[in-house]
Amino acid sequence: AWLQETPLRGLACPPPLRALVVFGSPSEPVLETAAAEWTRAVQAAFGERPVRLQPSLDAYPDAPFVAMGLVPELPLGLRELAAKALEAAVSDDAYAIVSTGGNIAVVAHTPAGLLYGAFHLIRRLRLGQPLHEPCVSSPHNALRMLDHWDNADGTIERGYAGQSLFYRGGQIDFDERRVADYARLLASIGINAIAINNVNVHPIETRFLTEAYLPGIARLADIFRRYGIRLFLSINFASPVDLGDLPTADPLDARVEAWWRAAADRIYRHIPDFGGFLVKADSEFRPGPFTYGRDHKDGANMLARALAPHGGLVIWRAFVYNCLMDWRDRRSDRARAAYDHFVPLDGLFLDNVLIQIKHGPIDFQVREPVSPLFGGLRSTNVMLELQITQEYTGQQRDVCYLAPMWKQVLDFDTHARGEGSTVAEIARGALFGRPHGGMAGVANVGDSPNWTGHSLAQANLYAFGRLAWDPSLDPAEIAREWAQLTYGDEADVVRTVEAILMASWPAYEAYTAPLGVGFMVNPGHHDGPNPEGYEYSKWGTYHYADWRGIGVDRTMATGTGFTGQYHEPVRSLYEHLETCPDELLLFFHHVPYTHALHSGKTVIQHIYDTHFDGVEAVAWMIEAWRRLAGRIDPVRFERVLARLLDQYDRAVEWRDVINTYFYRKCGIPDDRGRLIYP
Ligand code: GCU
């Protein structure tokens, strides 16, 4: 992936890189990891292993060296320099690079900070950037987390890159080296937390809390710990019942509370730095407090009390909605659900509870507005949930680089406290002064040799980590950085890969469901076009296309009132046809096919045009990629080419199904006379 270990051709090893001094306790595993990663990277780049010098507070070696050290352990002069560099950094995970004489020092307050600093120096080395340049970097988010939807049987829900890295046949069963490499990849992009099992917790994973499974889980935790990553488990709210211990899982029943305390105590005996629980409750048939007439606060706080003595967190998902809706009832609206459920509970959750909110109000569609719940919760810790795995965005058969979409989400101004109330500031906890916050991404990896099935899908994992660390980064720059780290520094290769990545989300949007309408996919697996796949179902994801028009009226004036969940001026922006952005038009309004967009085109002509354009964009990607033949190793080159060719066929299928669907609905021909099947 992006930690390539090819030699850096034509470069001699710069003198300071020949020696390494580590200041800090040698028994500190993360510190040793930092030193080991740096040593490994230098050796790979120059074929020369840095000499490990013994730290000595008074005697410096004469030759220049790289130092890595925890601030209090540093020799005096360097300590002052380091403390000053880190002065403004608020996070324990911050690092600084300072240079003294010819030496380069990576300094931090914690071993984890040093590890991130070491990876930053490695990145500079591979990108050919100046190693000496002083810098300080502090993560924007305290929690930078991956949610694995892995099942104990080895399958991965919405996984498109093979089987689980952690489980096989109902057992914790893993290749230690592979998992350690995975931990390296994650640490290198700043990830510090991982939930290792699916939010849909089945009977086997329910037993993860028991002595039968905890020793194996602890072995996984041991690997991740060396890379500064804390392990979380998804739990089944009905565990006390399902494991046969109690007749109830009522969160207000003292026996239930005691049961969870005992479970937490047991987990911490095996995993002293266990992160906590991730919970999907009362959502899509998962059990929860509603069964007992209780609410989310009762459920989350009960678990939070069990974890609090150990410093654990409850991450409670806001993905709660009625999945038994009636398509005949046009007044009810799934988009409203998360806000309607959670805003009345604002301020009632304990301090070690976070509410994890999907970026959009529906479900990871290629285009959705930002969930209004971000602006709705003021006295509750929240977390942003993104989907790195491409469930609705091509399933890692199509290239779809999601960083530009995520960036729009992070930059979105909720106006919850006036201008500048961005999702990035809310998710980190800063806007409302919350003690916890962060970002979680649903993982896109499996045991496929290239981790993500499609090589280019690695860019999404990389970008997720980089944005969780620093949401101000530019997605194009991240793409460039990733391309260079992954494919080497030939300018043309880097430019082309960046261009393909940057074109890919717009292309995917263009040839699939139009103008924010979403969900025109096949039911169940969610791949490929099926404009009415969910139209008469109970899932609440409708578009209401008829012979005159399409879209969901979510206005306050005549629709479901969803726009009212936003603060002004966003509310009015979406409420009115005149101001609603084109790309979200059908999410908020039901309009005739002849309605003129701001672009000047009619809705129907926009649909036809974008669907032809989307296919053209894929054709362009194929040509661009082909020009890289011979300049990328043949294995990766051929695999990506094969995927792109497949993507072309898939895009054609989408184009033709969608265009024909709308042509048949409205009978309006394409004004450019292109082939639309009758
Ligand atoms: C989507 C997805 C499910 C998943 C759910 C969730 O609906 O299709 O597989 O379980 O989201 O986020 O809980």
Side-chain angles (χ1 to χ4, degrees), residues 149 157-158 199-200 280 284 317 319 358 363 391-392 526:
W149 287 359
E157 183 154 337
R158 313 307 178 187
V199 288
N200 297 315
K280 173 175 180 177
E284 299 185 331
R317 297 176 80 229
F319 184 59
K358 288 191 181 184
D363 193 8
E391 175 178 1
Y392 295 101
H526 296 165

Side-chain angles (χ1 to χ4, degrees), residues 68 181 188 247 301 322 392 487 527 608 662:
M68 292 186 181
D181 273 343
S188 77
N301 290 349
N322 173 13
Y392 295 101
Y487 290 109
D527 193 29
Y608 295 151
F662 284 108

Side-chain angles (χ1 to χ4, degrees), residues 230-488:
R230 283 174 90 182
L231 191 135
F232 286 68
L233 289 175
S234 297
I235 57 104
N236 168 359
F237 196 80
S239 297
V241 177
D242 289 4
L243 291 172
D245 294 333
L246 292 177
T248 176
D250 180 350
L252 298 192
D253 186 309
R255 291 168 299 170
V256 173
E257 173 140 2
W259 190 95
W260 281 106
R261 269 184 202 278
D265 294 348
R266 188 164 57 241
I267 296 170
Y268 280 91
R269 276 199 296 278
H270 288 272
I271 309 169
D273 60 347
F274 180 64
F277 297 145
L278 173 61
V279 195
K280 173 175 180 177
D282 289 315
S283 160
E284 299 185 331
F285 311 111
R286 304 314 301 159
F290 287 179
T291 310
Y292 307 97
R294 316 298 184 194
D295 61 23
H296 293 287
K297 144 207 47 106
D298 300 325
N301 290 349
M302 182 271 295
L303 295 174
R305 281 192 294 274
L307 292 167
H310 307 280
L313 301 174
V314 173
I315 300 176
W316 190 273
R317 297 176 80 229
F319 184 59
V320 178
Y321 66 98
N322 173 13
C323 58
L324 294 173
M325 277 178 47
D326 184 349
W327 58 267
R328 298 164 189 85
D329 169 16
R330 285 178 77 149
R331 299 297 301 180
S332 54
D333 181 3
R334 171 168 162 179
R336 295 188 57 117
Y339 186 102
D340 286 345
H341 278 289
F342 284 91
V343 168
L345 302 177
D346 189 23
L348 302 179
F349 292 95
L350 292 176
D351 263 358
N352 60 330
V353 176
L354 295 96
I355 302 301
Q356 184 168 295
I357 309 170
K358 288 191 181 184
H359 67 81
I362 301 280
D363 193 8
F364 301 135
Q365 299 304 291
V366 70
R367 175 75 68 174
E368 283 187 51
V370 166
S371 169
L373 188 54
F374 288 105
L377 293 176
R378 297 167 166 269
S379 311
T380 303
N381 302 320
V382 300
M383 236 175 127
L384 166 64
E385 180 175 325
L386 300 171
Q387 195 182 43
I388 312 172
T389 193
Q390 291 170 239
E391 175 178 1
Y392 295 101
T393 49
Q395 307 207 341
Q396 279 142 253
R397 290 174 67 180
D398 302 35
V399 197
C400 189
Y401 176 57
L402 296 166
M405 178 213 276
W406 298 337
K407 179 77 172 168
Q408 287 184 5
V409 172
L410 289 161
D411 287 349
F412 179 77
D413 194 344
T414 65
H415 289 266
R417 287 186 90 174
E419 214 172 310
S421 305
T422 60
V423 169
E425 287 307 300
I426 292 171
R428 77 190 292 210
L431 191 75
F432 297 113
R434 301 300 312 163
H436 294 288
M439 275 168 67
V442 181
N444 65 344
V445 302
D447 69 355
S448 131
N450 68 0
W451 303 97
T452 50
H454 198 313
S455 297
L456 297 183
Q458 291 174 5
N460 284 328
L461 181 57
Y462 185 81
F464 173 79
R466 300 288 285 134
L467 284 173
W469 185 279
D470 182 0
S472 75
L473 293 175
D474 169 15
E477 211 170 302
I478 298 174
R480 203 149 54 232
E481 188 179 285
W482 175 80
Q484 191 176 342
L485 291 171
T486 306
Y487 290 109

